[in-house]
Amino acid sequence: MTLPIALDEHDPTPPFEQLRRQIAHAITTGSLVHGSKLPPVRQLAGDLGVAPGTVARAYKELEAAGFVSTARRAGTTVIGRLQVDPGSALTTLTKTFVARARQLGADERAIREALDQALGH
Amino acid sequence: MVLIALVAVPLAFVLTGMFTQRRRTRLLADPATHPGLAHLDRASILARRIGVAAGTVLGIAAAMVLPLGRGVLLAPSLFSLVLVLALVATEARLWRSARTPGIAGLETRNPVSYLPRALLLGLGATSASLLALLTWCAAHQNTSPDGMGIIGRAFEWRVLQSPGDPGVVVSTKGPFPGTWYSMPIAVVLVGVLLVLVLGLGLVLRRPRNGADPVVVAIDDQARMRNAEAMTAAALLGVAGSLLACSLLAAMMVLEPFPWLALALVVSALCALLACTWAISVLLVPGRGMPVRSTPASGATAMGSVL
């Protein structure tokens, strides 16, 4: 089963960060296991319709974070499932939510109300 | 020659029928959910038909216009060039439209797996045979101008005047596929092979429209089918040229070298086999089977098809 990747053009987060985040999430949740090969930069960039530099930067950041390793001949390979601090992941998720909500024009009160409603308060 | 025709024509029909029976089912994308892939499929089938029609017209025109049978020998390679160009142009035109920007699958694709290995092997074998034949013909063509002032369109051989006489008699016979015929064929076929390499590169590197299992299956098959069609078009040009040159050379060398003529007839029959194979690949793209993807059970839907 191929893992889907989707870049949202309305998301204020840069495309490389969206890509990095989705791949990192797939690794931390175990969807991508140790030894899985990531597609070549040019292939993924072509499929997504982004510049190869965007994918290359996402891969570079994943490599710096210890998610993947890149070798000239073997390509980019997942090197392990890292345990991520749940608190840190929640903070990232919340930041994304707030950024998207602000992009929609919601003020702080509306965001809090939406969050309360989602929590069932 | 009549005997060869009596054997070859029914053989070609039987072989075409056999190859046609083996053609795979062709998965068709639902135009409502995957318009890009559905358009690619329709356009590539249309390109085959337009290419075959345009190639046939150009081949017939060349046969009628070019003098001394030059057009007849050049027709298969010209046909092939037009067909390969039509297929590659369609692939290039639809390269980006078959993709939705922003979506992809995290998958590693092996480009080599899309190549039609058997057809490429056949193309390599027929190309090598044609090269060997044309080189041999060039080495045994007339070295001085014939009655029309042309070098390279007659077979030349030397025989002893009599067993005790050291003198030799130089005999010539034509038309023979020497350089006067083979040079234009070689130029066009090199063009065909270059366009083929370009086209295969486009097919293998075409972006994929997401990770939906239905898209993956249809896209994989579309790549294989288009690569197969381009290779078959090139094979038809090379094998058609080999067939024509082998038969012409066989007729010319029959008198002095009957065994060589027999070998050339065998070569022509092999070329005929390759031609029927290529024609059946081009004319029968596979029986269409519509596939619909459902958001919840895309993988299950494909499981029942593949």
Side-chain angles (χ1 to χ4, degrees):
Chain A
M1 181 73 184
T2 308
L3 278 174
I5 291 285
L7 301 184
D8 186 353
E9 59 178 324
H10 302 297
D11 191 333
T13 316
F16 83 87
E17 174 55 23
Q18 290 185 49
L19 183 59
R20 186 208 64 77
R21 199 170 56 208
Q22 289 179 48
I23 297 174
H25 181 257
I27 295 170
T28 51
T29 56
S31 302
L32 280 176
V33 294
H34 178 83
S36 303
K37 280 192 183 295
L38 295 185
V41 169
R42 283 187 182 280
Q43 181 197 306
L44 187 56
D47 287 1
L48 288 168
V50 298
T54 302
V55 178
R57 185 167 174 190
Y59 280 11
K60 201 173 174 183
E61 300 222 350
L62 286 166
E63 189 177 11
F67 284 104
V68 300
S69 77
T70 303
R72 188 174 286 272
R73 299 198 71 174
T76 306
T77 312
V78 175
I79 54 172
R81 180 182 166 182
L82 297 187
Q83 294 300 318
V84 173
D85 174 22
S88 162
L90 186 61
T91 305
T92 308
L93 196 62
T94 312
K95 279 181 179 170
T96 308
F97 162 70
V98 171
R100 294 294 309 275
R102 284 199 169 128
Q103 197 191 17
L104 290 171
D107 58 11
E108 196 173 324
R109 196 171 63 83
I111 293 171
R112 282 183 193 282
E113 278 176 11
L115 198 57
D116 285 342
Q117 200 174 3
L119 290 169
H121 293 167
Chain B
M1 291 313 290
V2 175
L3 187 66
I4 292 170
L6 284 173
V7 174
V9 174
L11 180 69
F13 275 105
V14 170
L15 289 171
T16 306
M18 281 169 58
F19 289 133
T20 302
Q21 290 296 316
R22 291 171 57 86
R23 300 295 291 147
R24 285 193 309 267
T25 302
R26 182 169 117 248
L27 301 179
L28 297 179
D30 180 9
T33 50
H34 306 298
L37 267 180
H39 181 52
L40 175 70
D41 181 70
R42 284 196 305 272
S44 56
I45 299 293
L46 184 65
R48 285 186 198 209
R49 291 174 184 160
I50 291 172
V52 167
T56 306
V57 169
L58 185 67
I60 291 171
M64 290 170 72
V65 171
L66 296 176
L68 303 171
R70 210 179 199 181
V72 175
L73 285 187
L74 198 56
S77 52
L78 285 176
F79 172 87
S80 171
L81 181 64
V82 171
L83 183 51
V84 174
L85 277 173
L87 292 167
V88 174
T90 304
E91 189 69 33
R93 191 168 59 83
L94 298 173
W95 207 69
R96 294 199 186 282
S97 63
R99 166 190 79 186
T100 307
I103 64 165
L106 271 187
E107 54 166 355
T108 47
R109 296 196 286 270
N110 179 13
V112 178
S113 66
Y114 299 119
L115 293 175
R117 289 178 193 179
L119 275 171
L120 282 171
L121 198 65
L123 179 63
T126 47
S127 299
S129 304
L130 182 62
L131 184 66
L133 173 65
L134 295 183
T135 306
W136 184 85
C137 289
H140 292 83
Q141 68 187 17
N142 56 335
T143 48
S144 50
D146 62 6
M148 303 185 77
I150 300 169
I151 297 174
R153 63 175 298 268
F155 176 54
E156 186 178 276
W157 75 99
R158 291 155 198 269
V159 286
L160 290 174
Q161 215 157 22
S162 62
D165 192 340
V168 291
V169 174
V170 177
S171 303
T172 59
K173 196 174 183 184
F176 179 71
T179 48
W180 195 74
Y181 290 103
S182 64
M183 284 310 285
I185 294 175
V187 168
V188 176
L189 285 180
V190 166
V192 168
L193 295 178
L194 289 176
V195 178
L196 172 68
V197 170
L198 173 73
L200 290 179
L202 283 173
V203 169
L204 304 185
R205 290 201 305 270
R206 175 155 52 78
R208 176 171 276 172
N209 197 25
D212 181 341
V214 172
V215 169
V216 171
I218 295 174
D219 183 77
D220 273 351
Q221 213 192 48
R223 281 172 208 267
M224 285 183 216
R225 203 172 51 242
N226 288 356
E228 190 182 62
M230 288 173 192
T231 312
L235 175 62
L236 189 55
V238 176
S241 302
L242 179 63
L243 174 65
C245 292
S246 295
L247 284 179
L248 189 59
M251 285 192 289
M252 296 305 113
V253 304
L254 182 62
E255 189 190 323
F257 308 114
W259 286 107
L260 182 60
L262 184 65
L264 287 168
V265 169
V266 172
S267 158
L269 286 174
C270 292
L272 180 73
L273 177 77
C275 283
T276 56
W277 182 17
I279 289 169
S280 52
V281 167
L282 286 165
L283 296 185
V284 188
R287 188 165 48 84
M289 178 186 277
V291 182
R292 287 176 190 280
S293 57
T294 50
S297 60
T300 316
M302 286 314 300
S304 63
V305 171
L306 298 176

